[in-house]
Amino acid sequence: EVNREPSADRRVKVYGKVTNAKTGEAINATILFTSPSSTETSDASPEVGYDVLVPSTEQYSVKIDAPGYISALEKLDIQTYEMKELEMNFKLQPLEVGATVNLRDVLFEQGKTMLLDQSYPELDLVVAFLKSNPKVKIELSGHTDNRGIPGQNLKLSQARVEKVKSYLVSKGIEKRRITGKGYGGSRPIASNDTEETRLLNRRVEFTIL
């Protein structure tokens, strides 16, 4: 009989603070660590932040929620870490007009509008955000890297925005709450010199209107 319970020494203490991305001040938040086999929740306070013990053989998705802020989703893989402690600090965007969120995990096949599978958890977070804030309207913006023909990139980024919009609508969000525009490669946030940084430029963002 194999004992499947992670023993106490196979746990990692994850700790840190949650701050307002605009002002840098520490805030109250709830952090949810979800893995295939366990869920751990921890509350962060401005004074002490948070700390939580999680089994160290897992990949986690980490969701950070705070009232008045836009929820965030991060990943944590501690299958490979031989460590006892890990500091993870999070920044949350305040929920206000003009706030822009880069949907880092919403990714597309190179040159296509096909969403990669890893995009869906973050898209579902946007759905949940829009459902819990029924008055909020957003503008989606699509961006490409600078390779290829600018006119085609513009078209591609617009088509990707439409793809994201139709997914949100398919999950019950009213069409009129979402506008969208493709900007092609005209607004890079990173260098276009290497594939790692070009990947950062192929992105979808949303801004609260």
Side-chain angles (χ1 to χ4, degrees), residues 11 31-42 52-55 58 60-61:
R11 289 174 177 264
I31 301 136
L32 193 67
F33 291 82
T34 311
S35 77
S37 66
S38 70
T39 299
E40 310 284 340
T41 309
S42 183
V52 61
L53 281 170
V54 298
E58 302 275 16
Y60 292 90
S61 99

Side-chain angles (χ1 to χ4, degrees), residues 137-154:
K137 292 184 176 170
I138 61 168
E139 182 191 64
L140 293 166
S141 58
H143 305 271
T144 63
D145 60 35
N146 69 347
R147 287 177 307 168
I149 300 158
Q152 277 176 354
N153 281 340
L154 209 57

Side-chain angles (χ1 to χ4, degrees), residues 84-115:
K84 294 274 178 262
E85 297 197 343
L86 172 67
E87 184 177 358
M88 277 190 99
N89 297 310
F90 306 106
K91 293 179 177 173
L92 291 187
Q93 257 314 343
L95 176 53
E96 60 190 16
V97 171
T100 295
V101 178
N102 180 358
L103 302 174
R104 275 179 317 211
D105 275 341
V106 177
L107 299 170
F108 297 88
E109 278 183 28
Q110 171 74 50
K112 302 203 173 77
T113 60
M114 270 289 294
L115 282 160

Side-chain angles (χ1 to χ4, degrees), residues 57-201:
T57 51
E58 302 275 16
Q59 276 178 310
Y60 292 90
S61 99
V62 187
K63 185 167 179 262
I64 309 98
D65 289 314
Y69 291 82
I70 299 164
S71 298
L73 207 55
E74 301 276 345
K75 282 195 199 61
L76 171 62
D77 182 352
I78 42 181
Q79 301 185 66
T80 48
Y81 291 173
E82 288 297 311
M83 58 163 71
K84 294 274 178 262
E85 297 197 343
L86 172 67
E87 184 177 358
M88 277 190 99
N89 297 310
F90 306 106
K91 293 179 177 173
L92 291 187
Q93 257 314 343
L95 176 53
E96 60 190 16
V97 171
T100 295
V101 178
N102 180 358
L103 302 174
R104 275 179 317 211
D105 275 341
V106 177
L107 299 170
F108 297 88
E109 278 183 28
Q110 171 74 50
K112 302 203 173 77
T113 60
M114 270 289 294
L115 282 160
L116 299 180
D117 283 348
Q118 71 209 73
S119 306
Y120 293 106
E122 196 161 33
L123 287 173
D124 291 339
L125 192 68
V126 178
V127 171
F129 164 70
L130 288 169
K131 284 186 172 165
S132 57
N133 297 280
K135 290 200 166 53
V136 167
K137 292 184 176 170
I138 61 168
E139 182 191 64
L140 293 166
S141 58
H143 305 271
T144 63
D145 60 35
N146 69 347
R147 287 177 307 168
I149 300 158
Q152 277 176 354
N153 281 340
L154 209 57
K155 268 208 194 97
L156 178 63
S157 60
Q158 184 70 48
R160 284 175 171 172
V161 160
E162 292 304 327
K163 184 86 179 180
V164 170
K165 180 175 176 173
S166 64
Y167 180 79
L168 299 177
V169 169
S170 78
K171 293 287 178 180
I173 304 300
E174 292 172 43
K175 248 197 199 92
R176 59 184 185 78
R177 295 178 60 193
I178 310 162
T179 55
K181 187 168 165 49
Y183 291 95
S186 64
R187 296 186 176 183
I189 54 170
S191 141
N192 275 300
D193 297 340
T194 70
E195 180 48 33
E196 288 78 36
T197 54
R198 280 195 295 266
L199 179 67
L200 298 172
N201 288 329

